[in-house]
């Protein structure tokens, strides 16, 4: 700063300036990076956000309870869910039978407890298959583009245009001779993978243009290796979110199909089957329908809440807000 400029600033009122000497403001104190801090990642940041989220804690506790009931139903009841005595038809709750009996004289509490395993198994198995198939097809379409993307996208559009429940009902009606959990799981997965594929395609198309893919290619990595080693792992966040949320939807879909009589066989204990059988007693004994319906609602709600919490934690905008 020249003397003329300095005199100018001094002569203009309200324009006085003070510039501190460089030795009084060392740059190291402002811009120094803490090298001792541990490296962080998106998943570590998400976990720090999740464990402080009441929605995640509540849903996590509910899911733990549901899984415990599904794995160890004998801890809660010693009654055989398939043992029915018509003498107990629609009897009131009693000692050892807190929910009473249904029209067939079966213990409602035992059937509600054991139905957890069936409904949760269908939801988990369907979600695993849907995530694997949808992620693979969507990732291949988004990564390679061109005619591969065009072909797979048209296949996705064809399946997406078919109503989910209507398609499942038609296919299950075609194979009514064989009834099993796996048949319901495969049919639900047949029409459920398209949403995951669309999400995976968009996420991979975004991830493949990032710098790490260019750097990996420059180091000699093949496209297939880039896809499975770098791009898909960095595109998993939205896929995990939709998988967590969809799990509850598949539990509801199984219950709906069983309610309509085209899902699981009547010999299999499930919430949908019990709700279907109890609908005739809705006016006279509504509690028989209430208990399996409440168990279904709590389970589905817990997974939806978990999906919302995970989405908020993995969304960079919500993390920095």
């Amino acid at each position: 700063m020249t003397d003329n400029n300095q005199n100018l600033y001094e002569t203009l009122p309200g324009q006085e300036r003070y510039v501190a000497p460089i030795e009084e403001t060392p740059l190291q104190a402002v811009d120094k990076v803490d090298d001792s801090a541990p490296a962080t990642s998106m998943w570590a940041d998400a976990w720090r956000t999740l464990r402080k989220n009441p929605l995640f804690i509540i849903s996590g506790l509910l899911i733990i309870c549901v899984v415990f009931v599904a794995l160890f139903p004998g801890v809660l009841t010693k009654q055989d869910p398939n043992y029915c005595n018509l003498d107990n038809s629609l009897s009131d709750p009693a000692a050892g039978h807190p929910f009473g009996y249904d029209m067939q004289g079966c213990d409602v509490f035992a059937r509600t407890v054991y139905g957890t395993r069936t409904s949760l198994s269908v939801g988990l198995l369907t979600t695993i298959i849907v995530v694997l198939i949808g992620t693979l097809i969507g990732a291949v379409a988004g990564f390679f583009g061109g005619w591969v993307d065009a072909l797979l996208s048209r296949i996705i559009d064809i399946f997406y245009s078919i109503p989910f429940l209507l398609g499942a009902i038609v296919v299950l009606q075609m194979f009514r001779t064989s009834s099993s959990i796996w048949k319901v799981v495969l049919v639900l997965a047949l029409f459920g993978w398209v949403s995951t594929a669309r999400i995976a395609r968009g996420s991979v198309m975004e991830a493949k243009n990032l710098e790490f893919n260019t750097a990996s290619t420059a180091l000699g990595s093949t496209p297939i290796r880039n896809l499975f080693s770098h791009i898909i792992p960095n595109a998993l966040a939205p896929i995990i979110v939709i998988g967590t949320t969809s799990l509850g939807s598949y539990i509801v879909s199984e219950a709906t199909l069983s309610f309509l009589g085209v899902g699981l066989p009547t010999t299999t204990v499930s919430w949908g089957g019990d709700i279907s059988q109890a609908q005739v007693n809705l006016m006279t004994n509504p509690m028989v329908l209430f208990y399996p319906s409440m168990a279904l609602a709590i389970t589905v709600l817990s997974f939806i809440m978990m999906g919302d919490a995970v989405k908020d934690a993995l969304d960079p905008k919500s993390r920095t807000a």
Side-chain angles (χ1 to χ4, degrees), residues 100-305:
Y101 298 87
D102 61 11
M103 178 174 284
Q104 302 298 324
C106 305
D107 185 83
V108 176
F109 179 73
R111 293 187 66 85
T112 302
V113 169
Y114 278 89
T116 307
R117 175 180 295 177
T118 303
S119 298
L120 190 62
S121 298
V122 172
L124 286 174
L125 292 174
T126 304
T127 301
I128 292 173
I129 296 175
V130 162
V131 168
L132 290 177
I133 296 177
T135 301
L136 180 61
I137 295 178
V140 170
F143 181 75
F144 289 102
W147 68 269
V148 176
D149 183 24
L151 175 62
L152 293 179
S153 295
R154 298 296 78 76
I155 295 175
I156 292 174
D157 292 339
I158 291 172
F159 276 90
Y160 200 77
S161 64
I162 302 174
F164 180 75
L165 280 178
L166 180 59
I169 291 173
V170 171
V171 174
L172 287 173
Q173 287 282 50
M174 294 171 56
F175 299 96
R176 295 200 63 171
T177 54
S178 60
S179 299
S180 65
I181 291 179
W182 278 107
K183 185 184 73 171
V184 176
V185 168
L186 293 177
V187 170
L188 291 177
L190 176 64
F191 297 99
W193 61 271
V194 288
S195 298
T196 304
R198 290 165 68 98
I199 295 295
R201 175 180 175 272
S203 184
V204 167
M205 290 180 67
E206 180 180 357
K208 74 175 184 179
N209 295 319
L210 299 179
E211 290 79 3
F212 66 84
N213 184 40
T214 304
S216 179
T217 303
L219 292 174
S221 181
T222 62
I224 297 297
R225 183 178 180 181
N226 283 345
L227 176 62
F228 289 98
S229 299
H230 303 291
I231 296 177
I232 290 181
N234 282 276
L236 283 179
I239 298 173
I240 292 176
V241 171
I242 191 175
T244 306
T245 307
S246 299
L247 196 151
S249 301
Y250 296 134
I251 294 177
V252 172
S253 299
E254 178 274 320
T256 303
L257 294 174
S258 298
F259 178 83
L260 296 175
V262 296
L264 298 175
T266 56
T267 55
T268 302
V269 181
S270 68
W271 292 332
D274 288 350
I275 294 172
S276 176
Q277 296 176 10
Q279 64 177 325
V280 296
N281 307 117
L282 180 60
M283 301 301 297
T284 59
N285 199 338
M287 299 308 292
V288 176
L289 184 144
F290 172 79
Y291 294 118
S293 301
M294 182 56 63
L296 175 64
I298 292 175
T299 302
V300 174
L301 178 62
S302 62
F303 281 104
I304 292 177
M305 291 168 57

